[in-house]
């Protein structure tokens, strides 16, 4: 897994609530048998017109989108299906962190396994960040996982929660499957239970 | 630790293989269901590491999402879908997995075939790279959806790293009125709590209205637990559960069956056990439900009017509703009853089982579907299809002017060519009304099989109670 290193980037606002994974990557793109190239289809139905041209006004098509690595999303981001294609599309596009007030459970798990950091902030901080991008779309925000902080221009710092295990995995690039396979003896022992 | 445990806690506790401080538990998986869409990258991962599938005997694969529902002797036209299906076949062969492939008589939607074959049994942990794995919780199992990385983890280790979720009791008091069904219970719950209301929790559905439901209706409810954001949905096993499972292909037999039932009887939540949260619904108050928006929480009684964004105090909810209504082409305050639709879809892992088809057929028998309306009936599995045909339901649907298809996910997810045209309206028995879910630009009203059948007859959104004698 990729290491999560400190990040400084503009943030792109997509403040709608309950953005589901069918919007993040529509089902027709799920026929691929590998992970590559998903970024081109991120938010495809909001991002492109029927003829494939970019839809003006959608946040990913604005000039400031280029190179931005942080998405500022609304409540319950990533609800709906379990498709890991959603974080593959987000990371494929270039996002490394999503900030929201809450995330759907499966999306959150999938994001963490792909080096995409889900950052939960309180509604007041969320509103501050939205104001900030509205006033200055070029503003840089810094994310540091080790100290679990988001730093706004001007130096205001807010903390975000993350469980210790996920943090260690992201910081050190721990291979979760490798960790799990380390329990092989206990698994074998467990499988000796009657009725299994 | 308290001595009184919930159904969830009992299953969780008996499946923890190891737990290190500060880390998620290593949870054992009794049954891993696999389908063609969320597994290819996991098998690639195994190959890259030179790993095998640890327990092929606890892994069952099927093909449901991408497969066409037309005559199976015809070729698959979509090259990407054909390749994905081929890949599933190759992976099953290479890793030694049981696959209910194109020609298997048991092929079907993964959440339909598990219970139907008796693979899903009380007390188990079941996972699948699919969020509607929650369906299997109807049997008193802990069943939930996982991502592709986790599919790889389970293939390789038969285990998952899991943080223990919280529990939430969803109690449904009273009894359902005629014309009101399990689908209406779950749509009413979602309308009440919203699509994020269950995040971090496992639902356990309890109460007399739940106990009164047959297994297939219980599955409908557990299926849509994920639509409330819940990790899983569960219902304690009882005689209804055991009667359903008795004699199924993979159900235990003879003494093993008796022993299993004795174990299963110990699973229900102990009296006095505490849930982290509790919600109550009253079945007597429920009417047929329908959604008006673009997530399953945007639902109302079929006789209500589309709500007004101005009625909401929260700004982002207001925006979400306005956006949803714009997509749906609906005005605040308008009724949905009497609104013409283009398509009626009866299918999906929510409502494509034999009892759903029987209900729909009971209304359609001797009637015709409205002119200019496309009505698709897609059985959940080839076994459901066979049963329906043995009962003559296919003849009822065909005589009414509906399409009778092969099993699959079909227009629930529109990956296989079965899809709405941009702008079309559908009443659908599936579980998701997200933008474009049933085809780009398509607009979905979620409802029960009875509401769908009533709408098929009139061509307009119809309160089924007006058609019941
Ligand atoms: S029927 Fe729909 S919800 Fe169910 S597994 Fe298939 S695509 Fe998913």
């Amino acid at each position: 897994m990729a290491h999560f290193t400190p990040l400084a980037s503009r943030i792109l606002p997509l403040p709608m609530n309950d953005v589901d994974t069918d919007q993040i990557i529509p089902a027709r793109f799920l026929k691929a048998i590998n992970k590559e190239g998903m970024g081109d289809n991120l938010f495809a139905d909001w991002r492109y017109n029927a003829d494939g041209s970019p839809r003006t006004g959608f946040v990913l098509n604005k000039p400031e989108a280029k190179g931005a690595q942080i998405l500022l999303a609304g409540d319950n981001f990533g609800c709906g299906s379990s498709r890991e294609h959603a974080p593959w599309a987000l990371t494929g596009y270039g996002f490394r962190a999503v900030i929201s007030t809450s995330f759907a459970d499966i999306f959150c798990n999938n994001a963490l396994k792909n080096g995409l950091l889900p950052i939960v902030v309180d509604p007041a901080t969320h509103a501050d960040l939205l104001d900030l991008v509205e006033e200055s779309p070029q503003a840089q925000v810094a994310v540091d996982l080790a100290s679990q902080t988001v730093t706004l221009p001007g130096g205001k710092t807010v903390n975000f929660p993350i469980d210790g295990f996920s943090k260690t995995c992201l910081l050190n690039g721990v291979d979760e499957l490798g960790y799990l396979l380390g329990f092989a003896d206990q698994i074998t022992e467990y499988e000796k239970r009657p009725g299994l | 630790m308290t001595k009184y445990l919930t159904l969830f806690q009992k299953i969780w506790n008996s499946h923890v293989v190891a737990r290190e401080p500060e880390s998620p538990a290593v949870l054992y998986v009794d049954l891993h269901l696999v389908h063609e869409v969320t597994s290819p990258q996991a098998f690639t991962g195994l190959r890259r590491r030179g790993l095998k599938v640890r327990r092929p005997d606890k892994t069952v694969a099927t093909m449901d999402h991408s497969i066409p529902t037309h005559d199976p002797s015809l070729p698959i036209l979509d090259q990407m879908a054909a390749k994905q299906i081929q890949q599933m076949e190759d992976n099953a062969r290479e890793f030694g997995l049981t696959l209910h492939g194109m020609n298997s008589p048991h092929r079907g939607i993964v959440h339909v075939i598990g219970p139907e074959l008796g693979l899903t049994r009380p007390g188990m942990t079941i996972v699948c790279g699919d969020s509607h794995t929650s369906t299997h919780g109807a049997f008193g199992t802990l069943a939930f959806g996982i991502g592709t990385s986790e599919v790889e983890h389970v293939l390789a280790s038969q285990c998952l790293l899991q943080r223990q979720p919280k529990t939430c009791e969803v109690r449904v008091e009273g009894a359902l009125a005629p014309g009101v069904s399990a689908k209406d219970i779950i749509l009413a719950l979602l309308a009440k709590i919203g699509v994020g209301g269950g995040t971090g929790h496992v639902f356990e559905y309890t109460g007399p209205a739940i106990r009164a439901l047959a297994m297939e209706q219980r599955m409908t409810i557990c299926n849509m637990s994920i639509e409330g954001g819940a990790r899983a949905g569960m219902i304690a096993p009882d005689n209804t559960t055991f009667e359903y499972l008795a004699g199924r292909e993979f159900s235990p037999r003879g003494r093993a069956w008796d022993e299993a039932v004795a174990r299963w009887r110990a699973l229900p939540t102990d009296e006095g056990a505490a849930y982290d949260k509790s919600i109550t619904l009253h079945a007597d108050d429920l009417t047929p439900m329908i959604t008006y928006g673009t997530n399953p929480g945007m639902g109302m009684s079929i006789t209500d009017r589309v709500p007004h964004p101005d009625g909401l105090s929260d700004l982002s909810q207001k925006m979400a509703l306005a956006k949803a209504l714009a997509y749906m082409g609906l005005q605040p305050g308008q009724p949905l009853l009497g609104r013409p639709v283009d398509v009626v879809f009866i299918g999906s892992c929510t409502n494509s089982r034999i009892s759903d088809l029987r209900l729909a057929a009971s209304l359609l028998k001797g009637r015709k579907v409205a002119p200019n309306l496309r009505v698709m009936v897609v059985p959940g599995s080839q076994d459901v299809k066979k049963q329906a045909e043995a009962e003559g339901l296919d003849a009822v649907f065909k005589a009414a002017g509906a399409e009778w298809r092969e099993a699959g996910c079909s227009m629930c997810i529109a990956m296989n060519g079965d899809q709405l045209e941009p702008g079309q309206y559908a009443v659908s028995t599936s579980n998701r009304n997200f933008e474009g879910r049933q085809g780009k630009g398509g607009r979905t009203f979620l409802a029960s099989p009875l509401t769908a059948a009533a709408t098929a007859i009139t061509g307009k959104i119809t309160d089924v109670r007006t058609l019941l004698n």
Side-chain angles (χ1 to χ4, degrees):
Chain A
M1 180 199 294
H3 294 241
F4 192 92
T5 49
L7 164 65
S9 159
R10 288 189 301 282
I11 48 182
L12 288 189
L14 188 70
M16 286 105 96
N17 287 357
D18 304 317
V19 169
D20 58 81
T21 55
D22 274 89
Q23 307 318 312
I24 299 174
I25 180 130
R28 61 183 182 280
F29 301 113
L30 269 47
K31 287 176 237 170
I33 55 172
N34 45 40
K35 305 179 186 178
E36 288 73 37
M38 296 272 166
D40 295 342
N41 300 319
L42 176 66
F43 296 117
D45 289 348
W46 291 347
R47 187 171 160 197
Y48 304 114
N49 294 311
D51 65 1
S53 60
R55 181 173 291 179
T56 36
F58 185 63
V59 64
L60 294 198
N61 297 327
K62 292 188 174 167
E64 60 268 25
K66 209 168 173 5
Q69 295 179 306
I70 305 173
L71 182 70
L72 180 61
D75 292 351
N76 195 32
F77 185 74
C79 63
S81 89
S82 64
R83 62 189 70 166
E84 200 160 317
H85 310 67
W88 296 337
L90 287 159
T91 55
Y93 177 84
F95 286 118
R96 292 180 54 209
V98 185
I99 304 178
S100 177
T101 47
S102 61
F103 293 92
D105 288 334
I106 309 181
F107 175 82
C108 191
N109 274 341
N110 285 341
L112 288 164
K113 291 192 168 51
N114 288 279
L116 179 68
L117 183 63
I119 299 176
V120 177
V121 295
D122 60 76
T125 304
H126 193 266
D128 285 351
L129 286 167
L130 265 180
D131 288 346
L132 172 72
V133 278
E134 210 154 282
E135 280 160 27
S136 38
Q138 300 295 337
Q140 294 270 320
V141 166
V143 172
D144 182 53
L145 175 57
S147 62
Q148 296 178 221
T149 54
V150 175
T151 306
L152 278 58
K156 186 187 169 196
T157 294
V158 280
N159 286 89
F160 62 87
I162 184 168
D163 72 276
F165 182 80
S166 301
K167 180 176 172 177
T168 310
C169 287
L170 281 171
L171 281 177
N172 305 331
V174 170
D175 160 26
E176 282 194 32
L177 177 53
Y179 172 82
L180 197 47
L181 292 171
F183 290 93
D185 291 346
Q186 282 105 309
I187 298 171
T188 304
E189 208 41 50
Y190 181 91
E191 285 177 330
K192 290 181 188 155
R193 289 192 187 187
L196 265 183
Chain B
M1 195 140 95
T2 54
K3 37 180 206 220
Y4 304 118
L5 298 175
T6 63
L7 166 66
F8 163 78
Q9 288 163 336
K10 291 179 192 183
I11 300 180
W12 176 273
N13 291 346
S14 64
H15 287 80
V16 173
V17 171
R19 176 154 211 176
E20 296 201 333
E22 307 296 310
S23 297
V26 177
L27 194 73
Y28 197 79
V29 172
D30 294 322
L31 175 64
H32 184 195
L33 299 165
V34 173
H35 68 70
E36 77 276 24
V37 176
T38 54
S39 67
Q41 297 86 349
F43 287 108
T44 304
L46 291 187
R47 243 176 242 120
R48 212 169 271 155
R49 289 171 183 254
L51 291 169
K52 289 194 178 66
V53 173
R54 182 181 174 97
R55 295 297 298 262
D57 58 326
K58 292 178 183 287
T59 312
V60 176
T62 187
M63 307 208 266
D64 48 8
H65 285 67
S66 307
I67 52 153
T69 55
H70 58 53
D71 180 346
S73 63
L74 298 173
I76 300 172
L77 294 176
D78 179 337
Q79 286 315 302
M80 297 248 330
K83 199 166 163 201
Q84 191 167 58
I85 285 163
Q86 183 61 46
Q87 190 65 47
M88 184 73 253
E89 281 174 3
D90 294 348
N91 287 335
R93 196 174 316 109
E94 179 179 339
F95 290 92
L97 307 184
T98 303
L99 168 69
H100 295 297
M102 280 310 279
N103 300 316
S104 162
H106 298 320
R107 174 171 66 78
I109 306 174
V110 62
H111 313 307
V112 174
I113 69 169
E116 173 172 271
L117 295 174
L119 291 164
T120 300
R121 298 189 297 274
M124 293 174 100
T125 48
I126 302 181
V127 301
C128 173
D130 196 286
S131 59
H132 292 102
T133 308
S134 59
T135 313
H136 306 262
F139 290 79
T141 71
L142 174 60
F144 53 90
I146 56 178
T148 299
S149 296
E150 291 174 315
V151 169
E152 185 182 342
H153 293 183
V154 181
L155 288 171
S157 69
Q158 204 57 32
C159 290
L160 265 181
L161 292 167
Q162 279 294 302
R163 282 169 208 87
Q164 184 166 350
K166 295 196 172 96
T167 55
C168 174
E169 179 184 25
V170 179
R171 195 169 172 79
V172 191
E173 301 284 5
L176 292 171
V180 188
S181 65
K183 184 66 164 281
D184 303 306
I185 295 180
I186 189 67
L187 286 174
L189 173 71
L190 297 170
K192 183 175 167 133
I193 66 168
V195 288
T199 305
H201 290 77
V202 165
F203 287 158
E204 184 185 339
Y205 301 95
T206 65
I210 299 294
R211 286 286 137 230
L213 295 173
M215 281 319 295
E216 299 193 350
Q217 281 67 55
R218 294 181 186 183
M219 286 188 244
T220 298
I221 292 188
C222 288
N223 173 273
M224 291 187 75
S225 303
I226 180 68
E227 259 48 83
R231 201 72 185 88
M234 313 175 82
I235 295 175
D238 58 12
N239 287 338
T240 305
T241 321
F242 310 145
E243 277 159 28
Y244 177 95
L245 285 173
R248 302 248 160 206
E249 184 155 344
F250 290 95
S251 290
R253 282 164 210 280
R255 228 181 96 194
W257 169 261
D258 297 337
E259 284 168 8
V261 171
R263 277 200 313 275
W264 297 343
R265 285 200 192 281
L267 285 169
T269 294
D270 299 327
E271 202 156 325
Y275 299 91
D276 295 301
K277 212 165 112 176
S278 193
I279 301 168
T280 304
L281 291 181
H282 294 273
D284 304 85
D285 301 343
L286 298 181
T287 59
M289 295 287 294
I290 192 156
T291 61
Y292 52 83
T294 53
N295 74 46
M298 293 179 176
M300 63 181 193
S301 165
I302 198 160
T303 55
D304 278 353
R305 286 165 182 271
V306 173
H308 207 295
D310 290 347
L312 296 169
S313 51
D314 180 89
L315 182 67
S316 40
Q317 279 184 4
K318 210 181 270 220
M319 277 165 50
L321 178 55
K323 184 172 184 294
L325 296 186
Y327 181 85
M328 292 297 291
L330 296 174
Q331 299 301 319
Q334 76 175 115
L336 289 184
L337 277 180
R339 191 183 175 86
V341 299
D342 306 290
V343 174
V344 168
F345 173 69
I346 299 175
S348 91
C349 57
T350 315
N351 286 119
S352 65
R353 298 179 179 83
I354 191 68
S355 57
D356 300 311
L357 303 188
R358 283 181 192 139
L359 273 182
S362 71
L363 271 185
L364 284 166
K365 192 168 181 141
R367 290 177 160 129
K368 289 269 177 228
V369 308
N372 304 323
L373 180 72
R374 181 178 190 196
V375 179
M376 288 182 82
V377 186
V378 184
S381 70
Q382 293 301 86
D383 279 323
V384 169
K385 180 168 186 268
K386 206 165 115 194
Q387 177 66 26
E389 288 172 355
E391 296 177 19
L393 306 185
D394 60 323
V396 172
F397 293 126
K398 285 190 266 191
E403 295 171 39
W404 176 245
R405 315 281 295 199
E406 299 289 312
C409 295
S410 181
M411 207 189 274
C412 172
I413 191 164
M415 283 183 71
N416 73 335
D418 299 343
Q419 61 189 54
L420 296 177
E421 299 302 320
Q424 278 192 324
Y425 286 96
V427 165
S428 175
T429 66
S430 56
N431 44 42
R432 287 189 173 144
N433 51 349
F434 296 147
E435 286 183 28
R437 170 77 177 189
Q438 297 196 283
K440 194 173 169 179
R443 304 189 269 205
T444 303
F445 300 110
L446 299 176
S448 72
L450 279 174
T451 300
T455 302
I457 293 163
T458 61
K460 302 180 178 105
I461 293 176
T462 299
D463 184 342
V464 66
R465 294 172 299 178
T466 61
L467 297 182
L468 300 176
N469 306 321

